[in-house]
Amino acid sequence: MALAAIAAAGAAGRSGLLPALGRALQRGFAASASADDKFTVEVMPYKAHKIEPPSNQVETSIAELTSMYELMYTMRRMEIAADMMYKAKLIRGFCHLYDGQEAVMTGIEYAINREDAVITSYRDHCQLLARGGTVKQVMAELMGKAEGATKGVGGSMHMYRKQAEFYGGCGIVGAQIPLGAGLALAKKYEGKRNIGITMYGDGAANQGQKYEALNMAGLWNIPVIFVCENNHYGMGTAEWRAAKSSTFYTRGDYIPGLKVDGMDVLAVKNAVAFAKQHVLDNGPIILEMDTYRYHGHSMSDPGSTYRTRDEISTMRQERDPVERVKKLLLAQGVDAGEVKAIEKKAKKEVDTAVEESKVAAPPPMSWQWKNVYHDPVGIKLRTTTGGYVTPSYDPTYTLP
Amino acid sequence: MQVRSSSMRASGVRAAPRAAPATGRAARRVSVAAAKEKKEIMMWEALREATDEEMERDPTVCVMGEDVGHYGGSYKVTYGLYKKYGDMRVLDTPICENGFMGMGVGAAMTGLRPIVEGMNMGFLLLAFNQISNNCGMLHYTSGGQFKVPMVIRGPGGVGRQLGAEHSQRLESYFQSIPGVQLVAVSTVANAKALLKSAIRSDNPIIFFEHVLLYNVKGTVHDGDYCQPLEKAELVREGTDVSIFTYSRMRYVVMQAVAELEKRGYNPEVIDLISLKPFDMETISNSIKKTRKALIVEECMKTGGIGASLSAVISESLFDELDHQVMRLSSQDVPTAYAYELEAATIVQPEQVVNAVEAMCSKVAARA
């Protein structure tokens, strides 16, 4: 499959071909600038702990940047749509939105390939998108429909994509950190030159299991990158009120770390590419991404009781990651009309996904018992009404 | 403690050789061969054999836990395996149950088959979140994308004055987790055969051994025998009462049975083996025959395996019962250190004898 070939090419950063979303570079950029035009951008210098930081001159191209913009803009529109759907009570339960943090996952995705494993927390909608999922899959899952990423049984916090080495989607804060170390351990066990990336927040950074995982990863030189998405608030508590030391990139002690401007997708991509080369041979590294979330912790949190509206709007004006890429593209001579076309396409994709998901069917009752066990040989599961059900293989139960 | 069981009968007893040579070296060879066939090993050796055989058969099988490697395993189940398979496949973890259980789950998600050892099952309370949410539920919440083919094994139960925190019965707490299977071993034969099955199963299996059973002697099945994880074992066929038990309590029950036989009773004894899900077929066939059910467990009265089984039996087999379900469990107290208090906390053979006598005489009186 073409996807596998691209992934196997292993170049740091893909040259603009995103699969399932079909974002192939087709439009006429030739009029304004050659799609292969490479240029260098200076990003904020990295702060380093026990390691020499990479250069802050990052090479990119119009093609790559345009592709990144498309992904990030789609992420942004998708999360805003999720906000509206939640308020319309079409999405229920917990819904944690990623708008503001798009640069982190996009930068990561462009620095690794589809054989590197990624795991994150409950704030996972955009991770699924970056790893090849579609907006429709995310929307349908959020609305609890059978066409959702995990058939409607997982919900917002449980989105996975096995074929793209995306392991979710984890409801409990910090529980994914040791899992991520295990993913990378398996790569090493099988002799693969691939890594694992385990993402968590500043709130989870105070969990004991993070240190347990760091210790083991350091001990056994496991090729894992610990990515701390520091959006400065662990739910409703500011980082300085929850952590004695909020220089998260230094808290690995003997594990090296870098602090990265998480609102700049090129800074992120550069750091992750550097980190990938490091961990393949030298064991773990911590990347602290200095980022921000516009929404509250989840849709149940207005996000304004513990921070000022000024702070939020200042972030939007000065450091918005999507705007930054747009400005960069325009400064490089890309036609504003082309940019508008990308935005329009993304909006259409999101709107279509929402409309289709609204009328899609929920999972059938028979799926309540599906997949409780992988191998149901000999197992009868007792229902609450006294009968027994034997889960069976259902060939219609396939994932997108 | 010799226990009559179908599994024991099946192992190691072959037809007599064609013509046994009468004298000399040939005769000695035959008798050596015969002795080797019936060689008794201890349960820890049987578990070790199972682990070794499965690791050799499948390179994705690996072991993780505290002191499993260079130390040789605190109960010798992994003794010497690190020399054969290396440090990566027999991984000595630091003391961080939450961390290494999570790592085991992560590794299993990619396709490895880790056997994660809890030095004592009680320590796995620290890993409860990983076991419940990530191990048990992952196959479901990922829509069937990821399976977690891991075995979580270790000793539990009440030992010899180990104190409250080292005498826990974790099967009580784990039984509600959807997506896991719980298995409890009791003999040398079923220990090896069940561990092989558990390692080969694609479901997460929580595999309960008992602190006091590692040195129990017996023979293993021939060859590559893998016992079905979901079937109960018929220990003793009978007619008067169905006694359901598992793990070390099986031996307590059989001690009581020796006394009951003298008193003229004919109890049927069934070793549950599968604590989740229950083998309702074997259980209901037995109850339909004897019409009396006695559960003997080491869990506490509140919320244990017996509590669940009692409810299931009462609800689904009410019309087959001549007597309410009787349940002998441990007291709802932390296990004391002092010998006498500890003994009074758990079920003793006399209690089993008394319970059977009470049930049978009450039913007979009504008839």
Side-chain angles (χ1 to χ4, degrees):
Chain A
M1 216 184 119
L3 169 61
I6 293 162
R14 296 167 299 162
S15 49
L17 281 163
L18 280 169
L21 292 167
R23 296 194 184 93
L25 250 294
Q26 303 292 342
R27 285 178 216 43
F29 290 105
S32 46
S34 161
D36 293 325
D37 257 0
K38 286 192 171 51
F39 59 97
T40 306
V41 176
E42 185 179 298
V43 303
M44 193 182 294
Y46 302 99
K47 285 206 187 126
H49 171 77
K50 302 212 170 153
I51 193 170
E52 273 304 303
S55 153
N56 64 331
Q57 303 291 329
V58 182
E59 201 184 71
T60 182
S61 69
I62 302 280
E64 181 182 71
L65 214 51
T66 312
S67 175
M68 285 175 164
Y69 184 70
E70 218 178 312
L71 178 59
M72 291 169 72
Y73 191 80
T74 309
M75 287 177 174
R76 176 63 61 89
R77 300 268 16 133
M78 180 177 77
E79 296 294 77
I80 290 172
D83 169 286
M84 295 196 304
M85 289 304 109
Y86 193 90
K87 287 172 176 149
K89 291 207 188 331
L90 290 170
I91 298 176
R92 314 306 299 269
F94 291 126
C95 189
H96 308 85
L97 300 176
Y98 201 67
D99 51 318
Q101 299 181 215
E102 296 89 351
V104 179
M105 188 57 208
T106 307
I108 288 173
E109 183 63 23
Y110 276 75
I112 61 176
N113 62 44
R114 287 283 166 85
E115 272 144 27
D116 296 317
V118 175
I119 194 169
T120 186
S121 67
Y122 41 76
R123 207 177 295 280
D124 61 348
H125 310 161
C126 297
Q127 274 76 355
L128 181 75
L129 211 59
R131 289 253 104 184
T134 63
V135 179
K136 169 77 184 293
Q137 285 164 10
V138 174
M139 272 300 152
E141 185 64 33
L142 290 174
M143 295 197 202
K145 303 298 169 94
E147 290 165 71
T150 38
K151 317 294 275 180
V153 296
S156 165
M157 299 185 281
H158 301 289
M159 301 200 183
Y160 308 79
R161 194 166 161 79
K162 182 173 183 181
Q163 62 265 49
E165 293 274 320
F166 176 51
Y167 292 84
C170 210
I172 303 295
V173 170
Q176 75 277 13
I177 305 175
L179 252 62
L183 299 172
L185 174 75
K187 301 288 178 202
K188 182 168 176 154
Y189 184 103
E190 295 180 320
K192 296 183 176 158
R193 294 289 288 175
N194 289 108
I195 62 165
I197 295 190
T198 187
M199 301 171 73
Y200 56 95
D202 48 294
N206 299 317
Q207 278 259 319
Q209 52 192 327
K210 173 188 137 196
Y211 296 93
E212 294 177 12
L214 276 170
N215 179 42
M216 287 189 279
L219 195 57
W220 300 322
N221 262 8
I222 296 178
V224 54
I225 305 178
F226 288 83
V227 173
C228 177
E229 293 186 276
N230 183 7
N231 57 26
H232 308 287
Y233 296 93
M235 224 167 90
T237 304
E239 62 179 321
W240 54 270
R241 291 187 65 235
K244 177 75 175 172
S245 156
S246 40
T247 49
F248 296 100
Y249 69 105
T250 64
R251 280 173 62 179
D253 186 17
Y254 40 83
I255 306 282
L258 286 178
K259 182 159 177 175
V260 184
D261 178 4
M263 301 302 257
D264 181 349
V265 66
L266 293 173
V268 173
K269 181 198 137 191
N270 192 42
V272 176
F274 168 81
K276 175 170 174 176
Q277 291 314 309
H278 176 89
V279 302
L280 275 170
D281 295 307
N282 303 311
I285 193 172
I286 299 177
L287 296 181
E288 179 188 340
M289 305 287 180
D290 186 352
T291 183
Y292 199 82
R293 53 165 164 80
Y294 295 136
H295 272 88
H297 164 75
S298 73
M299 287 304 297
S300 327
D301 168 27
S304 50
T305 56
Y306 48 86
R307 49 186 195 172
T308 61
R309 292 196 194 278
D310 274 346
E311 181 187 288
I312 306 170
S313 52
T314 309
M315 270 295 165
R316 270 196 208 273
Q317 278 153 28
E318 295 178 6
R319 293 183 68 199
D320 185 282
V322 184
E323 273 304 301
R324 179 195 222 106
V325 178
K326 182 174 178 175
K327 282 190 194 129
L328 205 50
L329 280 173
L330 295 172
Q332 287 296 316
V334 172
D335 178 32
E338 299 302 333
V339 174
K340 266 241 162 351
I342 295 175
E343 294 176 2
K344 202 166 160 196
K345 179 167 176 266
K347 274 190 200 141
K348 184 154 186 282
E349 185 180 351
V350 171
D351 290 340
T352 312
V354 169
E355 290 314 310
E356 284 179 2
S357 300
K358 276 183 188 170
V359 299
M365 267 308 132
S366 62
W367 287 3
Q368 185 180 42
W369 291 93
K370 208 140 288 296
N371 294 319
V372 178
Y373 293 103
H374 178 84
D375 179 2
V377 170
I379 295 175
K380 283 185 168 43
L381 298 174
R382 185 167 166 259
T383 69
T384 53
T385 47
Y388 284 86
V389 56
T390 305
S392 57
Y393 174 64
D394 179 356
T396 68
Y397 188 97
T398 49
L399 275 162
Chain B
M1 167 154 325
Q2 279 297 79
V3 171
R4 248 190 335 136
S5 75
S6 49
S7 53
M8 296 276 292
R9 252 181 278 130
S11 67
V13 182
R14 294 214 184 104
R18 277 160 291 157
T23 55
R25 199 183 298 158
R28 280 199 298 280
R29 229 182 291 136
V30 166
S31 65
V32 162
K36 208 171 165 192
E37 279 175 24
K38 293 180 198 166
K39 183 181 153 221
E40 288 203 330
I41 57 172
M42 295 199 221
M43 189 185 283
W44 67 265
E45 291 178 275
L47 293 163
R48 185 185 176 285
E49 271 183 27
T51 309
D52 191 5
E53 285 170 19
E54 293 305 302
M55 285 181 81
E56 192 162 330
R57 178 180 173 270
D58 183 349
T60 63
V61 176
C62 53
V63 179
M64 323 182 168
E66 296 158 6
D67 283 339
V68 295
H70 295 210
Y71 183 79
S74 36
Y75 293 95
K76 298 194 287 233
V77 173
T78 51
Y79 191 77
L81 292 180
Y82 85 99
K83 285 194 196 138
K84 185 173 173 187
Y85 297 109
D87 284 343
M88 179 61 111
R89 290 187 72 191
V90 185
L91 201 52
D92 274 325
T93 63
I95 306 173
C96 49
E97 281 75 11
N98 198 4
F100 69 73
M101 186 64 67
M103 274 190 55
V105 175
M109 281 169 91
T110 67
L112 294 188
R113 307 185 84 91
I115 305 167
V116 181
E117 176 181 296
M119 193 185 271
N120 185 294
M121 289 303 248
F123 305 160
L124 297 186
L125 287 171
L126 288 156
F128 207 112
N129 175 61
Q130 297 292 353
I131 296 172
S132 171
N133 294 343
N134 295 331
C135 178
M137 301 201 209
L138 208 48
H139 187 67
Y140 188 85
T141 59
S142 68
Q145 289 184 76
F146 298 109
K147 58 180 184 177
V148 187
M150 66 194 284
V151 176
I152 299 170
R153 54 156 289 273
V158 176
R160 294 260 181 270
Q161 298 185 258
L162 299 178
E165 291 174 273
H166 293 73
S167 312
Q168 298 186 76
R169 284 123 281 167
L170 272 278
E171 59 269 27
S172 281
Y173 311 146
F174 287 148
Q175 63 175 324
S176 284
I177 301 173
V180 295
Q181 283 182 248
L182 269 58
V183 169
V185 299
S186 47
T187 66
V188 170
N190 67 33
K192 179 175 179 184
L194 287 167
L195 185 54
K196 286 169 81 73
S197 290
I199 293 168
R200 292 189 199 185
S201 168
D202 278 343
N203 293 329
I205 313 287
I206 308 183
F207 194 88
F208 288 91
E209 298 150 14
H210 197 285
V211 277
L212 294 180
L213 293 182
Y214 283 117
N215 292 341
V216 154
K217 283 204 173 124
T219 56
V220 296
H221 294 273
D222 290 331
D224 203 33
Y225 181 69
C226 295
Q227 187 166 330
L229 295 167
E230 302 86 13
K231 283 220 72 62
E233 251 179 50
L234 178 63
V235 184
R236 182 192 189 284
E237 216 169 319
T239 53
D240 290 344
V241 59
S242 299
I243 306 181
F244 301 105
T245 184
Y246 67 94
S247 191
R248 188 182 155 265
M249 284 292 133
R250 169 179 170 149
Y251 297 90
V252 169
V253 166
M254 293 313 289
Q255 257 189 287
V257 161
E259 177 60 33
L260 284 166
E261 280 171 349
K262 283 190 210 140
R263 299 187 195 190
Y265 292 94
N266 188 21
E268 179 151 294
V269 180
I270 290 180
D271 187 335
L272 292 169
I273 300 291
S274 180
L275 306 183
K276 180 182 172 109
F278 292 132
D279 177 4
M280 285 315 294
E281 196 181 334
T282 306
I283 293 170
S284 48
N285 285 342
S286 178
I287 289 177
K288 283 176 186 163
K289 184 171 57 165
T290 67
R291 305 188 65 83
K292 294 178 220 65
L294 169 65
I295 300 168
V296 179
E297 59 170 348
E298 206 172 48
C299 285
M300 299 189 199
K301 200 67 163 181
T302 302
I305 298 292
S308 298
L309 183 59
S310 176
V312 170
I313 294 173
S314 306
E315 286 163 12
S316 49
L317 294 160
F318 186 76
D319 291 328
E320 313 291 340
L321 291 168
D322 287 340
H323 190 287
Q324 74 264 33
V325 177
M326 292 293 291
R327 184 164 58 107
L328 296 173
S329 325
S330 297
Q331 306 282 359
D332 276 317
V333 298
T335 312
Y337 165 74
Y339 180 84
E340 298 78 8
L341 288 173
E342 182 186 70
T345 307
I346 55 175
V347 179
Q348 300 294 341
E350 307 83 68
Q351 290 167 266
V352 180
V353 173
N354 294 341
V356 170
E357 286 201 310
M359 285 174 91
C360 291
S361 55
K362 186 165 172 195
V363 169
R366 255 194 263 128

